[in-house]
């Protein structure tokens, strides 16, 4: 029995550890988990339609319980096999580290959300949890090679992206303050304070411009025009930074994989 456990646990760990399949993509077990996540998310989205849920509510609840049991089995398998992680820590410490990790806490939340029908919560709580079940898509993050590459790209350009965010925030505050000073007395319900003006500044800077809030004075229109033009550049700037960073991250990742073959 002990011998079979020694041979089974490394195999389970290799199937569930995304790092072990970096070059080959997803393992069969993780590919199955991704499929279950996507299917369960579709169920969570569809069941928010009252007409459909009214007819098939019982089947949706049974499906959620099944999903919850599958995720519970996955969680238990990860907890058991994480003892195979590399390092000098004991098996107990590795499991404690796993249980307290953000990914494991998210897994527990998903399991509880999936088993809500068993807990017998009231209707309003059920509606809330049905929406929260959609966050199980976040579980895909640790299983996706592409998302790990994107995280690496963001890390490579974190200072440039931080500078862009700081610049955008400065432009927002300056634009909102300018419209508060120019239009505050004329349109107090829209520009009567800097926080109220920030809604207009955000929609203008992002070039969305719903048209529900707009300046009516020549000076206000000039400020709005300048902010709109600044928005074009500020939106394009992080896109260019991320494009270059993603290219560098994927290139370095590909070089690493080629070197390991």
């Amino acid at each position: 029995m002990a011998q079979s456990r020694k041979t089974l646990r490394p195999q389970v760990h290799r199937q569930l550890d995304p790092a072990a399949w970096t070059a080959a993509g997803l393992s069969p077990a993780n590919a199955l988990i991704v499929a279950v996540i996507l299917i369960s998310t579709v169920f969570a989205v569809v069941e928010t339609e009252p007409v459909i849920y009214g007819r098939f509510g019982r089947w949706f609840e049974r499906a959620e319980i099944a999903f919850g049991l599958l995720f519970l089995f996955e969680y238990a398998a990860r907890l058991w096999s994480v003892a195979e992680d590399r390092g000098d820590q004991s098996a107990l410490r590795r499991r404690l580290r796993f249980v307290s990790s953000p990914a494991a806490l998210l897994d527990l939340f998903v399991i509880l959300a999936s088993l809500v029908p068993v807990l017998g919560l009231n209707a309003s709580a059920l509606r809330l949890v049905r929406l929260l079940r959609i966050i199980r898509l976040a579980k895909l993050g640790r299983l996706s090679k592409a998302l790990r590459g994107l995280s690496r790209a963001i890390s490579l350009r974190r200072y440039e992206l931080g500078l862009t965010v700081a610049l955008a925030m400065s432009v927002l505050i300056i634009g909102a303050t300018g419209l508060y000073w120019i239009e505050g007395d004329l349109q107090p319900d829209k520009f009567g304070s800097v926080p109220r003006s920030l809604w207009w500044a955000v929609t203008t800077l992002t070039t969305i411009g719903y048209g529900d809030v707009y300046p009516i004075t020549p000076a206000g229109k000039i400020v709005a025009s300048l902010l709109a033009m600044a928005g074009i550049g500020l939106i394009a700037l992080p896109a260019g930074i991320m494009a270059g960073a993603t290219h560098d991250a994927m290139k370095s990742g590909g070089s690493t994989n080629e070197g390991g073959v």
Side-chain angles (χ1 to χ4, degrees):
M1 182 69 179
Q3 184 65 29
S4 62
R5 182 177 62 187
K6 288 182 179 179
T7 57
L8 178 61
R9 194 167 68 183
Q11 295 177 9
V12 173
H13 181 260
R14 187 170 185 274
Q15 283 290 318
L16 296 177
D17 183 16
W21 296 76
T22 301
L26 288 176
S27 67
N30 280 333
L32 177 62
I33 293 169
V34 168
V36 173
I37 292 171
L38 294 176
I39 293 171
S40 64
T41 302
V42 170
F43 271 66
V45 171
V46 172
E47 72 173 290
T48 60
E49 173 53 51
V51 175
I52 297 177
Y53 188 79
R55 293 184 59 187
F56 305 103
R58 183 173 298 178
W59 293 103
F60 278 113
E61 292 178 1
R62 291 174 180 175
E64 280 299 332
I65 293 173
F67 291 137
L69 292 175
L70 285 173
F71 290 134
L72 181 60
F73 178 78
E74 176 211 354
Y75 182 88
R78 290 186 186 278
L79 181 61
W80 176 63
S81 64
V82 77
E84 298 294 327
D85 272 352
R86 296 178 181 178
D88 299 329
Q89 293 181 327
S90 65
L92 177 60
R93 284 187 173 273
R94 292 172 189 173
R95 289 183 173 124
L96 289 175
R97 184 181 62 185
F98 169 80
V99 169
S100 59
S101 67
L105 293 175
L106 175 63
D107 286 348
L108 276 178
F109 185 87
V110 168
I111 292 169
L112 291 175
S114 299
L115 296 177
V116 157
V118 178
L119 302 179
L121 297 181
N122 59 41
S124 60
L126 281 173
R127 284 195 296 269
L128 174 62
V129 176
R130 284 173 197 151
L131 293 176
L132 293 178
R133 285 171 186 163
I134 297 173
I135 71 166
R136 61 168 60 102
L137 283 173
K139 283 167 59 67
L140 295 177
R142 62 176 172 165
L143 303 176
S144 171
K145 180 180 177 182
L147 287 178
R148 292 197 298 273
L150 181 60
S151 299
R152 187 164 61 249
I154 293 175
S155 178
L156 288 172
R157 294 291 187 272
R158 59 186 180 276
Y159 298 114
E160 293 90 337
L161 291 172
L163 179 61
T164 303
V165 171
L167 182 59
M169 293 299 297
S170 299
V171 173
L172 282 174
I173 296 297
I174 292 172
T177 302
L179 262 294
Y180 162 68
W181 180 62
I182 297 170
E183 305 258 344
D185 293 335
L186 299 173
Q187 301 188 75
D189 58 326
K190 298 176 181 178
F191 300 105
S193 67
V194 174
R196 292 184 185 183
S197 301
L198 274 173
W199 166 248
W200 163 85
V202 169
T203 58
T204 303
L205 188 67
T206 55
T207 68
I208 297 174
Y210 291 115
D212 56 340
V213 179
Y214 53 88
I216 58 176
T217 63
K221 292 178 181 179
I222 292 174
V223 172
S225 300
L226 293 175
L227 191 64
M229 288 187 288
I232 296 173
L234 285 174
I235 294 300
L237 190 58
I241 293 173
M242 283 304 302
T246 302
H247 176 268
D248 294 343
M250 295 302 180
K251 185 177 180 179
S252 62
S255 300
T256 302
N257 291 337
E258 289 171 5
V261 172

